[in-house]
Amino acid sequence: MTETTHQQPPAAPRGNGAGTRSPEYQAVRSALRGLRQDLFHDPFAYRPLPPRRTDGPFVRRLPARPRSAAAHLPHAVVGVLALIALMAGTLGGGLPGGDVLALLTGLLCAAPVAATLVRPVGAFWMSLAVTPIVALIPSGDTDWPWMPGAFVCHLAVLVVVALRTRPRTAVWMWILTAVYAFLADVFFGGSYYYTNGAPMLVTSAFALLAVSVWHIRRTAQQEVTAQRTVTAHERSRRTALEERTTIARELHDVVAHHMSVVAIQAEAAPYRVENPPPELERAFVTIRENAVAALTELRRILGVVRAEDYEAPDAPQPTLADLDALLVNVRDAGLRVEKVVTGAVRELPQGVELSAYRIVQEALSNSLRHAPGASARVEIGYVLGGLGVRVVNDPAPEPHLIKPSPGAGHGLTGMRERVTMLSGEMTAGPTDDGGYEVAVFLPVATVNEGDA
């Protein structure tokens, strides 16, 4: 015999809580909550139609006066729709145009359309209320339940309100319109030869569907734009952090060299002086200990920022003396480049020379990618307060066999990080003839001979 035990799930607690209701009940309750929020909660709230934006691709090309007038284009469109509803209500009932009842019908049909400018949801209820009133006014028309003016009025109100609200509101307005058409046909449509409830529902369904699709597409575009903005911001931050890490790795050798020299000189200094005082020996010992401690901490920090696949370079970091070799490589790659040096050439701090070399290297790489076949000029200026670097390239010749291959835009970010680190200044942008220019100034503190 085989005994099978079935474990019964625990019974749901009885009560009136929301968690004990069925999914169908929850769906209906949520739908009714949405209906109350969209159409019944303060329906006549004052919500004026805002002006249209004038920074679109077409409107911003217009002259100043037409562009200013284009901001009120939606208000003008609603005004035209109200005028059409007025004419349809006045002339569509079969009464003479000057008849008081015909004019009253036109005004009743135009009022809800005009109300969409300030009270959109209230305008929908006004349109529903006006429809039976207009139908009860004596006229020669046989349509039911929407007279010609009421038909134009309600259709215009549905579209304008749907544009000003959201797709869910459009769905509820169409459902209430269908309910009104059904009740009007069943209870009051017997004496009329023709009912236009079906044409109203079909026409409004297509119009509201188009508006809902426009809403969904616009919302999707806004979300994509926001996501692209966030992505670009995060990419910029990540690029800046990567560039700072690269700069820290490169400057490690420079700083480590200086700290090693300080430690060695502090250790050897007491032996160069005959019978040095104890205070001097202790001072040099302290200097050496601090230099060694700083070097140890520097290496530890470098280990934190170093990537797992990072390999320390075998060769020393480049300086401005290595520019000629760089220019030879660039010329071999197809870029015609010349170098001009002005001022008295002197030895600068290694950090400044390394940054200047990397800036020239990146600027020439950008010239190769963005302007293949062009010529470039590298200017190095030694001035009293620092070092000036200028790299400018001509526009790419047309036609050219090699197509430009724009990068990710990290090069300029790296240049700016290096310049900022040295408290320098940098400008980069296109030239008047279609080329590109990068100009950098790196300040260098001067040392007076008396202070040396």
Side-chain angles (χ1 to χ4, degrees):
M1 295 179 62
T2 304
E3 182 178 356
T4 304
T5 303
H6 298 279
Q7 295 183 356
Q8 298 293 337
R14 296 182 179 181
N16 296 328
T20 63
R21 302 295 185 177
S22 63
E24 293 79 5
Y25 174 82
Q26 294 293 335
V28 173
R29 185 177 180 182
S30 177
L32 293 177
R33 187 185 301 113
L35 172 62
R36 182 172 65 252
Q37 180 181 358
D38 291 342
L39 295 181
F40 289 95
H41 179 68
D42 199 8
F44 288 92
Y46 182 70
R47 293 174 52 196
L49 180 64
R52 185 177 184 270
R53 296 177 58 182
T54 58
D55 56 351
F58 174 75
V59 178
R60 64 187 178 189
R61 299 179 182 177
L62 297 176
R65 182 170 296 179
R67 185 169 63 251
S68 177
H72 299 283
L73 180 62
H75 305 77
V77 172
V78 174
V80 171
L81 292 177
L83 182 61
I84 294 175
L86 174 64
M87 296 177 60
T90 304
L91 304 176
L95 295 174
D99 191 90
V100 176
L101 292 179
L103 180 60
L104 177 62
T105 301
L107 293 176
L108 289 176
C109 295
V113 181
T116 58
L117 292 173
V118 290
R119 307 183 192 275
V121 178
F124 168 73
W125 292 113
M126 290 175 58
S127 179
L128 277 183
V130 162
T131 299
I133 296 175
V134 172
L136 294 177
I137 295 177
S139 65
D141 196 273
T142 58
D143 290 338
W144 177 264
W146 279 280
M147 300 298 110
F151 192 97
V152 174
C153 167
H154 195 67
L155 187 61
V157 167
L158 288 178
V159 173
V160 175
V161 176
L163 286 171
R164 295 202 56 192
T165 55
R166 52 183 173 178
R168 190 178 70 179
T169 306
V171 172
W172 282 122
M173 289 192 302
W174 188 87
I175 291 176
L176 292 179
T177 301
V179 171
Y180 172 80
F182 175 77
L183 296 178
D185 288 342
V186 170
F187 293 102
F188 303 100
S191 61
Y192 288 87
Y193 176 76
Y194 173 73
T195 61
N196 54 6
M200 166 61 76
L201 295 180
V202 173
T203 306
S204 61
F206 279 105
L208 295 179
L209 178 62
V211 173
S212 300
V213 171
W214 176 81
H215 266 298
I216 295 173
R217 183 174 180 271
R218 182 185 179 187
T219 302
Q221 288 179 341
Q222 292 176 349
E223 292 179 354
V224 169
T225 302
Q227 188 63 34
R228 286 179 177 174
T229 302
V230 173
T231 302
H233 179 68
E234 293 297 330
R235 185 186 298 114
S236 177
R237 289 184 55 191
R238 185 175 65 251
T239 301
L241 291 176
E242 291 176 354
E243 292 296 334
R244 292 172 186 174
T245 303
T246 302
I247 294 171
R249 294 170 187 164
E250 293 178 348
L251 292 180
H252 167 263
D253 294 340
V254 177
V255 179
H257 169 73
H258 290 299
M259 296 304 297
S260 300
V261 172
V262 170
I264 294 174
Q265 289 182 348
E267 184 176 8
Y271 299 100
R272 297 183 179 181
V273 180
E274 185 177 357
N275 298 323
E279 295 82 1
L280 184 60
E281 292 184 354
R282 286 195 299 268
F284 280 119
V285 170
T286 302
I287 293 173
R288 182 181 182 280
E289 291 176 352
N290 289 334
V292 172
L295 188 59
T296 303
E297 292 298 327
L298 180 63
R299 290 170 178 169
R300 185 178 303 166
I301 294 175
L302 182 66
V304 173
V305 300
R306 179 182 292 132
E308 295 180 358
D309 56 349
Y310 174 75
E311 295 182 0
D314 297 332
Q317 296 294 349
T319 62
L320 291 177
D322 302 311
L323 269 184
D324 292 334
L326 173 64
L327 299 184
V328 171
N329 292 334
V330 173
R331 293 189 185 102
D332 293 339
L335 181 67
R336 301 187 304 273
V337 59
E338 62 173 335
K339 183 182 76 169
V340 177
V341 179
T342 58
V345 179
R346 65 183 186 276
E347 184 178 357
L348 300 175
Q350 284 185 283
V352 175
E353 295 213 1
L354 172 61
S355 296
Y357 178 90
R358 293 302 187 195
I359 290 172
V360 173
Q361 184 182 37
E362 186 60 40
L364 294 178
S365 298
N366 289 342
S367 300
L368 282 171
R369 286 194 299 265
H370 295 273
S375 59
R377 179 184 176 91
V378 178
E379 299 178 2
I380 306 295
Y382 292 87
V383 295
L384 183 61
L387 177 71
V389 178
R390 180 174 179 265
V391 181
V392 58
N393 62 267
D394 298 333
E398 293 292 344
H400 197 269
L401 298 177
I402 303 176
K403 300 298 181 181
S405 57
H410 297 176
L412 290 177
T413 303
M415 295 183 198
R416 296 189 188 279
E417 288 295 330
R418 294 181 184 275
V419 173
T420 303
M421 176 191 64
L422 297 174
S423 301
E425 299 177 358
M426 172 180 168
T427 58
T431 59
D432 296 336
D433 59 354
Y436 202 84
E437 177 185 6
V438 175
V440 173
F441 177 75
L442 303 177
V444 177
T446 58
V447 180
N448 296 330
E449 294 181 0
D451 300 335

